[in-house]
């Protein structure tokens, strides 16, 4: 079983749509959780951290369910510029340990 | 903010040659550098963890004699792909943990290696 699993997509949605991505992780000892965004042939960039209480940043809402080891990302009012690959990422600790990446979910927002 | 400069951004080399990739932390000290590679439509896979002044720790399945990592200073880590083969063609990217309050991770811009 992969450590971090995501639906690879692609998700093709019209502008203004709401889209949700899901992710599961296998290691219950994971401590910190993130969504990263990666554009084609570029480095990943932090979109947002994910907290158990849920958190929102503008059009983006992230949720974490530790009991079911499940993370989600909701994007409202999709923009063309949201087209990218969204990576679910976990870390086993809050210390100096490497991030573990999912394969990513490809999103294409269409005009 | 914390910046990691990685170069080259792309390189094409012949089979059997070696390629060196550099990652420099520009405004902070990177005691630890993580090296990843990413094949098309795959996730970033950790290759090794390098700590300044000590030997790198390699992930299972990554040949340490083929992928030489040097982290001789707090601002520079290098990955050398030795005797490169076409199957080594990939996107290589470094990431450093910063000692800033947020304790975030900073990524280099990546190196696209093509071995012909």
């Amino acid at each position: 079983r992969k450590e971090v699993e995501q639906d690879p997509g692609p998700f093709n949605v019209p502008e203004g749509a709401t889209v949700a991505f899901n992710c599961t992780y296998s290691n219950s000892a994971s401590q910190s959780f993130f969504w990263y965004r990666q554009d084609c042939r570029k480095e990943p960039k932090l979109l947002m951290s994910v907290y158990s209480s849920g958190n929102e940043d503008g059009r983006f809402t992230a949720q974490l369910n530790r009991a079911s080891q499940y993370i989600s990302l909701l994007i409202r009012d999709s923009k063309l510029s949201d087209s990218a690959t969204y990576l679910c990422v976990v870390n086993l600790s809050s210390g100096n340990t490497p991030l573990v990446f999912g394969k990513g979910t490809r999103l294409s927002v269409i005009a | 903010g914390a910046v990691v400069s990685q170069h080259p951004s792309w390189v094409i080399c012949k089979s059997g040659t070696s390629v060196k990739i550099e990652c420099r932390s520009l405004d902070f000290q990177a005691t630890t550098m993580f090296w990843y590679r990413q094949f098309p439509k795959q996730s970033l896979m950790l290759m090794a963890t390098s700590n300044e002044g000590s030997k790198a720790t390699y992930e299972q399945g990554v040949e340490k004699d083929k992928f030489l990592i040097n982290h001789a200073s707090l601002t520079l880590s290098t990955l050398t792909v030795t005797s490169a083969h076409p199957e080594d063609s990939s996107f290589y990217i470094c990431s450093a943990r910063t000692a800033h309050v947020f304790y975030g991770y900073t990524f280099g811009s990546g190196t696209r290696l093509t071995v012909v």
Side-chain angles (χ1 to χ4, degrees):
Chain A
R1 184 182 171 187
K2 291 188 172 61
E3 291 191 69
V4 180
E5 294 211 53
Q6 295 180 249
D7 180 345
F11 284 60
N12 300 314
V13 303
E15 275 187 288
T18 296
V19 61
F21 302 141
N22 303 318
C23 165
T24 56
Y25 59 95
S26 61
N27 194 328
S28 59
S30 298
Q31 295 289 320
S32 47
F33 310 88
F34 311 91
W35 283 100
Y36 275 73
R37 169 193 170 129
Q38 186 177 26
D39 293 287
C40 190
R41 297 173 180 261
K42 300 282 188 182
E43 75 275 23
K45 293 187 175 173
L46 179 65
L47 182 66
M48 59 198 302
S49 300
V50 189
Y51 305 110
S52 296
S53 54
N55 48 301
E56 188 175 308
D57 182 2
R59 297 181 293 108
F60 300 85
T61 301
Q63 295 276 354
L64 166 65
N65 185 320
R66 283 186 182 268
S68 52
Q69 295 175 207
Y70 172 93
I71 307 164
S72 67
L73 176 68
L74 184 76
I75 305 176
R76 291 182 299 277
D77 189 22
S78 299
K79 313 289 185 193
L80 294 175
S81 57
D82 293 334
S83 298
T85 297
Y86 290 83
L87 306 172
C88 180
V89 183
V90 306
N91 197 347
L92 279 180
S93 79
S94 54
N96 209 12
T97 52
L99 298 175
V100 180
F101 290 82
K103 259 192 195 182
T105 300
R106 174 83 190 131
L107 172 67
S108 290
V109 181
I110 304 159
Chain B
V3 176
V4 172
S5 173
Q6 181 173 349
H7 70 90
S9 49
W10 61 270
V11 58
I12 301 172
C13 71
K14 292 184 177 180
S15 287
T17 60
S18 295
V19 173
K20 180 186 279 190
I21 300 169
E22 290 190 353
C23 279
R24 291 180 185 274
S25 55
L26 299 186
D27 50 2
F28 69 99
Q29 293 182 333
T31 53
T32 300
M33 192 76 76
F34 304 108
W35 287 93
Y36 294 85
R37 64 181 166 186
Q38 185 179 32
F39 293 106
K41 297 186 180 181
Q42 299 296 313
S43 59
L44 277 78
M45 296 299 295
L46 181 68
M47 298 176 67
T49 301
S50 77
N51 293 293
E52 185 265 337
S54 62
K55 288 184 179 180
T57 302
Y58 289 81
E59 295 300 298
Q60 192 173 11
V62 178
E63 300 173 58
K64 61 180 172 65
D65 294 328
K66 181 172 178 61
F67 298 98
L68 302 179
I69 291 173
N70 185 283
H71 195 159
S73 79
L74 287 171
T75 58
L76 176 64
S77 179
T78 61
L79 167 67
T80 301
V81 183
T82 62
S83 186
H85 290 281
E87 57 265 30
D88 298 324
S89 299
S90 188
F91 185 62
Y92 292 85
I93 191 163
C94 60
S95 173
R97 188 72 189 271
T98 67
H100 293 186
V101 173
F102 175 61
Y103 289 98
Y105 293 81
T106 300
F107 286 85
S109 54
T111 298
R112 188 157 299 280
L113 170 64
T114 302
V115 185
V116 297

